[in-house]
Amino acid sequence: MSDEAHTTAASRLTRRLVSGPPFLFLLVFFVLPGLIMVAASFRYPGEFGGLAPLSAGRPGEEAGLTIENYRVFFGDWIYAEIFAKSFGVAALTALICLVMAYPVALAIARSPRQRRDFLTLLVILPFASNFLVRIYAWMIILGPLDLLFSRTAVVIGMVYVHLPFMILPLYTNLEKHDPVLLDAAQDLGAGAWQRFWRVTFPLSLPGIFAGSALVFIPVLGMFAIPEILGGKDDWLVGNLIKESFLGTRDWPFGSMLSIMLTLAVLAVAGFSAWLARRGGGRA
Amino acid sequence: MALLEIRNVTRRYGDLAAVCDVSLDVEQGEFFTLLGPSGCGKTTLLRMIAGFEAPDAGRILLDGKDLAGTPPEQRPVHTVFQSYALFPHMTVAQNIAFPLRMAGRPTEEISRRVGETLELVHLGDKAHQYPHELSGGQKQRVALARGLVNRPRLLLLDEPLGALDAKLREEMQLELIKLQKEVGVTFVFVTHAQAEALALSHRIAVLRDGRVEQMDEPSRIYGFPKNRFVADFIGSINLLDAEVIEAASGHLRLSVAGLGEVIAPHAAAAGAGLRGAFAIRPEQVRISPHTEAPQLKNHFTGRVSSFLYIGDVTTYIVETAGGARIEALLPNSAPGRAQFFETGDAVAVSWRHDAGAWLGE
Ligand SMILES: Nc1ncnc2c1ncn2[C@@H]1O[C@H](COP(=O)(O)OP(=O)(O)OP(=O)(O)O)[C@@H](O)[C@H]1O
Ligand SMILES: [Mg+2]
């Protein structure tokens, strides 16, 4: 009895020691900055950009908090449009990545065990060369094809950059599938397509969700690809935010955009989780 | 015509013949068991029947039709895998419905038959649970139900009880027998547990290194093992080196190592001068105090060297004067009597002249 109590106390202590530092890290570098950003989004920009000092408001106006940034956001359709466009590009990118990554991940997962690590290495090999160099390389490819500075070019670039983020979680999931399940399905009368559709695919849903999130969310924040490969119509939320901070140096407005983006992503995530649960998909 | 005919089937992996020139027939409605030690080729044979492996030589016929070239999904043969292989993302009901769906049955028929089969395996209340919410025995039942629901011509079971504990195993054995009788589906059952094979089967094929050593009814396999391997593998048995002195019409005279002359039943293969083994089951050996007058022809004195109290019986190991070790079984049916002899007691072992058997090399 006392022995048991002792172990639980010890394990509780271990748990705290182990989970403590990451928890603290998240608190200091994620939660606090998030809160600061929320606060910043309700303030004025400083005279020379950045944030107005707490004591003063816009030159000649009263100090304190304002909902001006949000009023601007909701007052002009252009922002909603850019958001919608960004989510469209992100969804399309995730979808294309999924379609392209699935056969690759499946092929790696079903290749002989000793070859899998090598194939995985090939997937992440592009990361070894500089991101910008690779995007500029696409300019050279897409230029002669007359695709440069178009939405298509942006999506191609996005897919190219994010493909590994879809392949890896899918592979990690598919590799864990017990091959005897496919034998069982075949034994019970399932042809090749049914085996995929009724066994492999539903079991890979967690991998699909993970990969989609890993592609979808970074695409929303990506500004380099639209800037290099896209036309003037192809600005996404990422460009808008980057421009607010680095171009016009309107930090409060940039903060507001970031927060709206976070809320929108959470809404999408919540919606897909609800869809998944309703569809009976068990992650 | 037998339901399943296996004709001279061989399957090689590199130099190793996992299954070697196996021929056997399984009759309609039979509970047929493939019994043998680990690695003897049971699973390989089963996978060839199911269609996952192709024989290198020989033919497999079902209802007289050669199965070669028919993929597993088109064979009217279902398998219960040792690991159950339940689909983790489907409920119990969905798992059981799977073969019916693949066969394209109408929805009402599917739900009716899933319901019936759930009742058959006593899982009516578990229809909407997922496999990870079930106990080992319950998973086992779901796997059985899934294999039976579409009434295959043949159900293959690869050590289906291997993962269960002893008590549950016994329960499931009784249920398997009952189930097979109820549904009338032919079973080909694989196990390396000889007691299980004896309890369940109509007929048993004993395999060793990919070959069939003996194929017969359980009582004949147990009572009349064909050779040393089968005798040793099935149940416990006393095996002593022996040479035939005289092969008379009704009986054999043997010279058995550590015993001397033994009278044994006649064996067709026996001829004077042949070497082999004398085999006798412990329950056929009578153990008595050494003071008792000999009543049987085969009568040898010795001392109890050890004994094992098992509960219902006690097994005595008797060392004879000549140095042979004979196992004898004594039932503990007399109340309060756990044991009749002590280690070191002088005793006699004896058996009838028509008990035991001479086995050729
Ligand atoms: N795919 C394979 N490649 C190479 N050798 C194999 C393969 N499958 C089986 N073997 C070999 O064939 C022999 C028979 O194997 P099998 O699995 O049929 O045995 P088993 O009787 O089912 O044994 P167990 O009781 O342990 O399941 C073994 O020696 C095994 O090593
Ligand atoms: Mg096996």
Side-chain angles (χ1 to χ4, degrees), chain A residues 42-44 52-66:
Chain A
F42 288 103
R43 297 200 33 82
Y44 299 102
L54 258 185
S55 56
R58 212 183 268 274
E61 286 175 25
E62 77 280 14
L65 301 176
T66 174

Side-chain angles (χ1 to χ4, degrees), chain A residues 7-79:
Chain A
T7 6
T8 47
S11 73
R12 208 177 303 133
L13 183 66
T14 319
R15 198 158 53 226
R16 278 195 194 142
L17 282 177
V18 171
S19 65
F23 186 73
L24 211 66
F25 182 90
L26 284 177
L27 189 74
V28 172
F29 294 106
F30 183 75
V31 177
L32 286 182
L35 291 176
I36 292 172
M37 211 160 70
V38 171
S41 73
F42 288 103
R43 297 200 33 82
Y44 299 102
E47 201 171 344
F48 306 103
L51 221 52
L54 258 185
S55 56
R58 212 183 268 274
E61 286 175 25
E62 77 280 14
L65 301 176
T66 174
I67 55 164
E68 180 61 20
N69 295 315
Y70 291 92
R71 195 176 291 142
V72 171
F73 182 83
F74 287 108
D76 194 338
W77 274 110
I78 186 81
Y79 296 106

